[in-house]
Amino acid sequence: MDPQKFFRITRGGRVEKVLSGITAAETAGLRPIKLNSVVVRGFNEDDVVPLAALTLERPWEVRFIEMMPFGSVGDFAEAGVVKSQEIQAAIEAALGPLEPLDLSGGEPARTFRLPGASGTVGLISPVSQPFCAKCGRLRLTADGRLRLCLLRDDEADLLTPLRRGATYDEIKEIFRTAAYRRPFGHALAEKMFPQARVMIQIGG
Ligand code: SF4
């Protein structure tokens, strides 16, 4: 919400352009509009309340995500994590109680609404309240690998067999075998952080 801070964190981005893009998306009728922000101690925890306050007027879902540790930045991420409980307490102290909404489905966010708000607030808590038990996601990376869990390094290579001319059934079998060996969740509690890639190399 602070133009200078946004410029620094994004290395050159202009927050006014982003906000006008979001408003344009709303005017064009795109739904739902979800804004994800990763809260990092010492960087942007002051922006939690102004971001949540956007939902009072706008029909957006503003979601706060706990930072996840990856490889060489694992220690930094652990030190910087702001847990959802703290985020919720800050919002409630400033803007009133967050009423939980029952939006069951495959969404990782727990969803709330501030009193009288048009939009909603989401809390995504992979560190403090993991939601792995209901996660069925596989991610396809830009270099053609199937990542079985965001926070594990295990991947299945699809690109090499595709380039070799693998048939549809062969690719299907690789996909199926990989899906069966999906882990049951991350291992952050055992201090096992993914090492091979960081978030921008996976795609979130
Ligand atoms: S299983 Fe992996 S990808 Fe799914 S929620 Fe847990 S950590 Fe995230």
Side-chain angles (χ1 to χ4, degrees):
M1 299 307 294
D2 172 340
Q4 283 181 354
K5 199 190 294 180
F6 188 88
F7 183 89
R8 183 165 56 89
I9 290 175
T10 59
R11 298 180 186 166
R14 287 181 47 205
V15 73
E16 315 82 57
K17 285 179 79 173
V18 175
L19 287 170
S20 68
I22 297 165
T23 306
E26 185 192 338
T27 308
L30 296 182
R31 298 286 186 278
I33 292 178
K34 296 179 182 177
L35 311 184
N36 287 342
S37 60
V38 177
V39 186
V40 184
R41 196 172 303 287
F43 278 74
N44 61 352
E45 69 268 55
D46 296 348
D47 293 304
V48 164
V49 169
L51 278 167
L54 290 173
T55 68
L56 296 172
E57 302 294 330
R58 311 263 37 106
W60 303 339
E61 179 169 347
V62 174
R63 314 202 299 180
F64 298 100
I65 307 173
E66 290 174 345
M67 186 155 69
M68 290 176 269
F70 281 89
S72 59
V73 292
D75 291 346
F76 166 77
E78 266 205 311
V81 70
V82 181
K83 295 197 173 153
S84 294
Q85 203 180 9
E86 184 179 334
I87 294 169
Q88 181 168 357
I91 296 170
E92 292 193 319
L95 301 171
L98 283 167
E99 181 201 345
L101 302 178
D102 183 17
L103 300 177
S104 40
E107 281 296 313
R110 289 175 291 125
T111 310
F112 303 83
R113 194 185 299 279
L114 284 164
S118 304
T120 57
V121 170
L123 297 176
I124 302 182
S125 325
V127 177
S128 66
Q129 294 182 54
F131 38 85
C132 302
K134 61 177 188 179
C135 168
R137 293 181 186 207
L138 299 168
R139 292 171 170 82
L140 183 62
T141 65
D143 55 357
R145 300 175 69 86
L146 203 55
R147 191 166 176 101
L148 310 183
C149 164
L150 194 54
L151 292 173
R152 301 261 193 182
D153 282 327
D154 194 8
E155 297 178 346
D157 180 16
L158 294 176
L159 184 65
T160 307
L162 271 171
R163 291 258 161 95
R164 258 202 328 257
T167 64
Y168 175 81
D169 282 341
E170 285 165 342
I171 294 296
K172 193 164 118 185
E173 189 52 32
I174 296 170
F175 203 105
R176 210 168 63 91
T177 308
Y180 272 113
R181 67 163 205 269
R182 271 195 86 242
F184 287 108
H186 64 60
L188 298 184
E190 290 93 63
K191 300 269 179 209
M192 284 172 60
F193 305 153
Q195 300 294 325
R197 298 175 191 260
V198 293
M199 194 65 141
I200 56 165
Q201 296 166 317
I202 300 168

